[in-house]
Amino acid sequence: MAEILDGKELAKNIRKDLKVEVEKLKKKGIASKLAVIMVGDNSSSEVYVKNKSFACKKVGIDFEEFFLDKSATEQELLDLIETLNQDKSVNGILLQSPVPKHIDINKAFRTILPNKDVDGFHPMNVGNLVIGEDCFISCTPYGVMKLLEEYKIEIEGKNAVILGRSNIVGKPMVQCLLAQNATITVCHSKTKEIENIVKNADIVISAIGKPHFVTSKMIKQGAVVVDVGINRLEDGTIVGDVEYESVSQKASYITPVPGGVGPMTIAMLLQNVVKATKIQNKQ
Ligand code: NAP
């Protein structure tokens, strides 16, 4: 039976440490603030933003939400980002995806100042991650790495298979694991014989958004299985991409959904906001 990679518990400990850091900064007269922009209404985004706001409050980070109507123009969004870039009281800027189709989200990400880009989506942060320079790392892959580190999972020389190649999870996950000397295969919707590829994996990271996609048949005995997926079933239940019950019989370590990668993503966002605050205040 696999040991659980308990993201909920680790995230709680990280928040505890961050709270102390935020208090220390406050004693020096430095407040920390995250600005979140939402464009249009989307019930999932609203839940995510509420969770982020709640987490910020817990550690003492100020939080402000900016809501633009779904009819807002791209220029209106860029103008808002520019205002927040100039606002010295704002340390981190997060643009909640998705945005309406008429807005070029990459253009918006490029407009966020790299040192306020706490999601790590600006090309400068993405590029610095690739070349191994200090940067803001996309929160989900960063959270996965922290979880693997906490449980002392050996990465060097291991075969890691990443399912999904999105800019926010799959691609930065490659760079994070590569930096730790794993050998990496990335699978996507055009990959053939995924099952045979996953069977060779010592570490499997699934981020495709399909419930029960990863079955125990695909998993090597003793593999480490990290489930990034968040899928809502018709009855409202939240599940990951991994068939948890059967896979946990074969894996050595596994993340539950919920309670695995999700809380780590938010914890890393908070960590990035504190890092941004320190950089901007030369601490
Ligand atoms: P995304 O942008 O939709 O990307 C999904 C990826 O999965 C794409 O690369 C796609 O391939 C691939 N894919 C889709 N169907 C596939 C199939 N049948 N076989 C192989 N690959 C397939 O999604 P995302 O934003 O990366 O998110 C992925 C999942 O993680 C979602 O469930 C999301 O809710 C969840 N998520 C969780 C967290 C967290 O904090 N836990 C954070 C972010 C996302 P193509 O590139 O070929 O289309």
Side-chain angles (χ1 to χ4, degrees):
M1 190 71 181
E3 183 174 343
I4 289 173
L5 297 169
D6 190 344
K8 197 173 166 190
E9 183 63 23
L10 178 56
K12 197 167 101 188
N13 292 335
I14 291 171
R15 282 198 305 270
K16 215 184 279 170
D17 293 345
L18 286 174
K19 193 170 179 209
V20 174
E21 275 197 69
V22 170
E23 273 162 12
K24 272 191 202 154
L25 287 169
K26 277 191 181 151
K27 278 190 187 133
K28 294 181 185 171
I30 300 166
S32 196
K33 180 173 173 179
L34 172 67
V36 172
I37 306 170
M38 261 181 76
V39 189
D41 29 30
N42 174 307
S43 54
S44 300
S45 294
E46 277 168 25
V47 174
Y48 293 141
V49 171
K50 204 176 277 173
N51 289 343
K52 286 166 189 171
S53 146
F54 189 58
C56 280
K57 278 190 194 114
K58 271 193 194 161
V59 301
I61 294 174
D62 297 330
F63 181 93
E64 192 171 355
E65 192 182 331
F66 295 84
F67 184 77
L68 294 181
D69 190 77
K70 64 175 184 306
S71 64
T73 63
E74 184 178 276
Q75 194 55 50
E76 282 175 295
L77 172 62
L78 301 184
D79 289 345
L80 172 59
I81 292 173
E82 202 44 61
T83 304
L84 296 172
N85 280 341
Q86 300 305 328
D87 186 339
K88 285 203 160 47
S89 74
V90 171
N91 307 104
I93 303 171
L94 184 154
L95 172 60
Q96 184 66 44
S97 64
V99 295
K101 284 198 172 59
H102 64 275
I103 291 174
D104 177 351
I105 197 161
N106 285 332
K107 191 171 175 185
F109 287 147
R110 277 199 303 276
T111 308
I112 297 173
L113 272 180
N115 76 1
K116 292 193 178 187
D117 171 38
V118 287
D119 250 344
F121 296 160
H122 188 287
M124 187 177 282
N125 283 314
V126 176
N128 278 336
L129 178 64
V130 173
I131 63 171
E133 294 283 314
D134 186 44
C135 61
F136 289 107
I137 303 174
S138 175
C139 303
T140 301
Y142 192 16
V144 170
M145 295 311 288
K146 283 276 171 195
L147 206 45
L148 296 177
E149 184 188 328
E150 174 72 13
Y151 285 83
K152 302 188 171 48
I153 309 281
E154 212 183 312
I155 298 174
E156 185 162 310
K158 299 293 180 191
N159 286 334
V161 171
I162 300 168
L163 302 174
R165 57 171 166 181
S166 70
N167 290 342
I168 67 165
V169 187
K171 285 178 192 162
M173 198 70 249
V174 172
Q175 300 307 330
C176 290
L177 287 166
L178 195 57
Q180 302 279 321
N181 300 319
T183 302
I184 296 140
T185 309
V186 183
C187 299
H188 46 77
S189 66
K190 308 289 184 286
T191 304
K192 298 207 167 67
E193 299 184 10
I194 286 192
E195 191 172 318
N196 290 336
I197 296 170
V198 177
K199 265 183 191 160
N200 279 321
D202 303 305
I203 301 171
V204 181
I205 316 274
S206 185
I208 59 178
K210 297 242 182 305
H212 312 307
F213 185 89
V214 178
T215 62
S216 65
K217 251 191 352 197
M218 299 165 82
I219 295 293
K220 180 163 100 175
Q221 189 72 40
V224 174
V225 180
V226 175
D227 191 352
V228 177
I230 302 177
N231 309 294
R232 187 180 289 274
L233 301 181
E234 269 177 19
D235 67 359
T237 322
I238 300 288
V239 296
D241 293 345
V242 176
E243 216 176 70
Y244 184 84
E245 293 305 327
S246 59
V247 170
S248 58
Q249 303 294 323
K250 249 175 143 181
S252 55
Y253 291 90
I254 191 166
T255 57
V257 177
V261 177
M264 288 303 297
T265 297
I266 297 187
M268 292 304 101
L269 171 66
L270 302 177
Q271 184 145 311
N272 279 347
V273 176
V274 172
K275 175 176 169 152
T277 308
K278 285 182 172 169
I279 291 173
Q280 289 154 34
N281 289 282
K282 300 191 170 42
Q283 293 294 305

